[in-house]
Amino acid sequence: MKVEIFNQLPLTPRTCLFNSAKIAEYSLLPEKVFSLLRYPRYLYLIKTKFGVEAEMLMEEFLKAGFGSASRIIIRAATRLKEKKELEDASTNFPLLRDKFVSLVNKQYLMRCPAPEKTEDGKPSLIPKLTVAENQLYLPPTLNIKALTILDEGNPADAGDEGVYWRINFDRFHQDFRDQIMVTAISRRIDENGGEIIRLLLQLMYIRTEAWAQISNPIPFTELRDTLRKQDPQSPILQHLDQYLKVIEEDSSGFITRVGDSGGGQYCINMRKSFEALAWNCVENIIVERFGSKAARIFRLVKDRKFIEQEKIQQIAMIPAREAKQLTYRLLQENFLQIQELRKSMAQNAGPNKSFFLFHVDLEEVARMVLDFSYKALYNATTRRELESEENRRLIEKKNKVDSIAANMRLQGAAQEQLDEIEEMMAPAEVELFTKVMNRVQKLSEAELHLEQTIFLMQLFLNYSTK
């Protein structure tokens, strides 16, 4: 099995010796805990691609961590029954089974490894979990009648006894990565350019490992034929070669032309793509924190690789005092690094002369951005929980009033009765509740944006240090 960039398990086992006996120790992987923040994105992706039923299946997996297909389907069917107000949950079993098979075929779900049996049949102190490669994404064969019997509380074998499934987070992260690239090109060029990148990524998976730094060459003719099959009347077909040339010449370096046979061959450069995206992210952070002039200095140092302070003042066209203040502010915040060069002089000709050159170490900056993103994420989460706890009674009262009003509305209550129910909360309480919910909403949005920044920086570091 291939080694995945993003491991699914937040705990990893290791062997140690204790009292001359081998035991298994488990250590927590903090970076995997951040996957909890991506749960809404996971569910939204599944809902967009496969529908509400698949979203419920995925939500049950996120709650449980792992489970058998039959048990997860029964839980999701029960929820659908309550949502659609059906009398019998078994009517949803065929649809949920098909959705489950689709999730396995698309590799969003994968089979859990099972512990290997020892030669003497005794359980091992350090379990070795394995699964055959050909069974990893082998869809289950379920018996609908047995599912109905299990739903009624009676024992039955649905055909998946002892087989458990889990979420393949690596597959979700591939989709998130591809979405970042498509969105970036759509903003830099247009929607047609983003569609071309999406098709190139699809063709990349056919011939290249998903997390490779550079894809194998993709022929122009294959790209054109794929586009023609999807939409024979697509306006992109007439200008496909021009679009590819524009994307290739773009400074982001998403694709590279590597040959001229068959109209040309193109490679997707993942490492260079996410390096460009990381540069843009850091520049935006500098603009927000220090202003546009500081961002101009940062871009100048980035372009010149190494540059002296006097040159920065001259080329950036910023007053000398302000340029020096901004430069050393960026140096203090670790967005810039400094390199000292010593020039040896002749003997007895005085002290050695030193030059101080500013430069940018993007990997170091990315780690620093990750560090303060973690801190900001903790602060936002703590503040949101504090706001909710301090105003818990007010929120509970508002929810209770809304619940009563909804029930009365379903019973056909008059508008006067509904107005009386709403008056149970004073105007001051309504105003305070609105302010609290606005703050909580802004903090939740900040958590999502921080998670996206963390994900982008993790991708860049994974590709740059691979």
Side-chain angles (χ1 to χ4, degrees):
M1 293 173 56
K2 66 184 180 66
V3 177
E4 297 169 346
I5 291 181
F6 293 94
N7 185 18
Q8 293 89 359
L9 301 177
L11 295 174
T12 181
R14 63 179 180 179
T15 305
C16 73
L17 292 176
F18 182 73
N19 291 335
S20 301
K22 289 185 176 180
I23 62 174
E25 280 191 347
Y26 291 84
S27 59
L28 181 69
L29 303 177
E31 63 273 13
K32 313 306 177 192
V33 180
F34 289 100
S35 295
L36 293 170
L37 294 172
R38 303 187 182 115
Y39 279 13
R41 295 177 67 188
Y42 297 151
L43 294 176
Y44 180 75
L45 176 64
I46 293 299
K47 182 179 180 180
T48 304
K49 286 191 171 185
F50 301 98
V52 177
E53 295 80 8
E55 180 192 15
M56 287 191 175
L57 290 171
M58 192 60 60
E59 188 173 354
E60 291 299 326
F61 271 108
L62 290 173
K63 290 179 180 178
F66 72 97
S68 63
S70 56
R71 295 297 179 185
I72 295 294
I73 288 175
I74 289 174
R75 292 177 195 169
T78 303
R79 292 183 56 193
L80 279 175
K81 172 188 172 182
E82 297 172 354
K83 183 177 181 180
K84 297 181 179 180
E85 298 181 357
L86 300 175
E87 297 181 357
D88 188 5
S90 62
T91 56
N92 294 311
F93 286 160
L95 177 59
L96 289 171
R97 179 193 60 185
D98 295 340
K99 294 291 185 180
F100 192 96
V101 171
S102 297
L103 291 173
V104 174
N105 287 330
K106 295 296 183 180
Q107 300 186 3
Y108 290 99
L109 294 176
M110 61 193 304
R111 188 170 299 198
C112 291
E116 288 184 350
K117 295 182 180 180
T118 58
E119 296 179 356
D120 55 1
K122 295 181 180 179
S124 175
L125 293 175
I126 305 173
K128 294 182 179 180
L129 305 177
T130 59
V131 59
E133 186 73 23
N134 59 351
Q135 294 183 350
L136 194 58
Y137 302 108
L138 183 64
T141 303
L142 299 176
N143 188 332
I144 298 298
K145 186 176 180 180
L147 288 176
T148 305
I149 298 174
L150 286 171
D151 186 41
E152 295 172 352
N154 299 319
D157 184 8
D160 64 339
E161 189 69 25
V163 178
Y164 297 95
W165 300 84
R166 62 174 177 170
I167 298 175
N168 183 10
F169 291 106
D170 189 70
R171 180 69 177 84
F172 282 97
H173 295 152
Q174 290 175 26
D175 285 352
F176 294 160
R177 178 201 63 184
D178 297 347
Q179 185 179 0
I180 290 174
M181 298 182 67
V182 171
T183 303
I185 289 297
S186 298
R187 290 177 177 176
R188 295 178 71 93
I189 302 176
D190 60 12
E191 295 295 332
N192 293 335
E195 179 66 15
I196 292 173
I197 289 294
R198 187 183 66 81
L199 292 175
L200 285 172
L201 289 168
Q202 289 181 4
L203 297 174
M204 181 195 74
Y205 288 123
I206 299 174
R207 52 178 52 82
T208 311
E209 184 184 359
W211 292 103
Q213 289 188 342
I214 302 176
S215 71
N216 293 323
I218 303 170
F220 171 83
T221 53
E222 186 174 348
L223 175 63
R224 183 187 57 196
D225 294 342
T226 303
L227 183 60
R228 184 178 288 115
K229 288 178 182 178
Q230 290 190 0
D231 185 6
Q233 305 299 326
S234 175
I236 306 177
L237 285 170
Q238 300 178 0
H239 310 286
L240 180 59
D241 52 345
Q242 289 94 332
Y243 270 110
L244 288 171
K245 185 174 181 60
V246 170
I247 299 173
E248 178 196 356
E249 294 178 351
D250 189 81
S251 59
S252 59
F254 277 39
I255 65 173
T256 306
R257 183 163 178 158
V258 295
D260 298 325
S261 61
Q265 294 181 333
Y266 297 88
C267 291
I268 300 177
N269 193 326
M270 290 292 182
R271 177 172 181 173
K272 193 171 182 181
S273 300
F274 280 94
E275 182 180 351
L277 292 171
W279 280 115
N280 290 334
C281 180
V282 173
E283 288 178 13
N284 290 333
I285 292 173
I286 291 175
V287 171
E288 294 294 330
R289 293 187 62 180
F290 309 110
S292 59
K293 292 183 178 179
R296 191 190 310 169
I297 292 173
F298 182 80
R299 284 191 293 267
L300 176 61
V301 177
K302 165 195 166 185
D303 293 337
R304 293 300 179 98
K305 308 295 184 185
F306 292 89
I307 187 171
E308 292 183 274
Q309 175 65 54
E310 291 76 11
K311 292 291 184 181
I312 293 176
Q313 299 168 190
Q314 297 172 6
I315 301 175
M317 293 185 292
I318 299 175
R321 183 175 180 180
E322 186 178 6
K324 184 175 292 186
Q325 288 177 344
L326 291 173
T327 302
Y328 282 96
R329 179 72 186 279
L330 292 174
L331 178 65
Q332 181 182 5
E333 297 290 338
N334 294 323
F335 286 98
L336 295 180
Q337 287 76 39
I338 196 168
Q339 177 70 43
E340 181 181 2
L341 296 180
R342 295 180 180 272
K343 182 178 180 182
S344 299
M345 306 294 291
Q347 292 183 353
N348 302 326
N352 294 337
K353 187 175 182 181
S354 298
F355 298 91
F356 295 94
L357 304 179
F358 292 91
H359 68 100
V360 179
D361 185 345
L362 185 57
E363 291 185 20
E364 190 67 27
V365 173
R367 293 187 181 94
M368 181 199 62
V369 170
L370 272 178
D371 184 60
F372 67 65
S373 294
Y374 294 148
K375 295 177 182 177
L377 184 60
Y378 172 79
N379 293 337
T381 304
T382 305
R383 182 63 184 177
R384 176 175 55 80
E385 293 176 352
L386 179 63
E387 290 284 349
S388 300
E389 183 62 26
E390 288 182 345
N391 300 277
R392 179 169 54 86
R393 292 184 179 180
L394 179 64
I395 295 172
E396 289 177 352
K397 183 177 180 180
K398 176 62 174 175
N399 292 336
K400 185 177 180 180
V401 170
D402 291 343
S403 177
I404 294 173
N407 292 332
M408 294 295 291
R409 193 176 292 108
L410 291 175
Q411 296 174 7
Q415 185 62 38
E416 295 179 356
Q417 293 176 312
L418 297 176
D419 293 339
E420 291 179 0
I421 294 173
E422 292 179 357
E423 289 175 359
M424 293 173 62
M425 290 191 67
E429 291 179 324
V430 174
E431 183 179 358
L432 178 60
F433 175 81
T434 303
K435 291 181 179 178
V436 170
M437 296 311 296
N438 286 337
R439 287 198 294 267
V440 170
Q441 180 66 25
K442 288 181 179 179
L443 290 169
S444 299
E445 292 176 357
E447 291 177 24
L448 294 176
H449 289 304
L450 285 167
E451 185 276 322
Q452 293 175 1
T453 302
I454 290 170
F455 184 73
L456 175 60
M457 291 301 166
Q458 285 178 341
L459 280 175
F460 163 68
L461 290 174
N462 281 324
Y463 279 118
S464 61
T465 59
K466 189 175 179 181

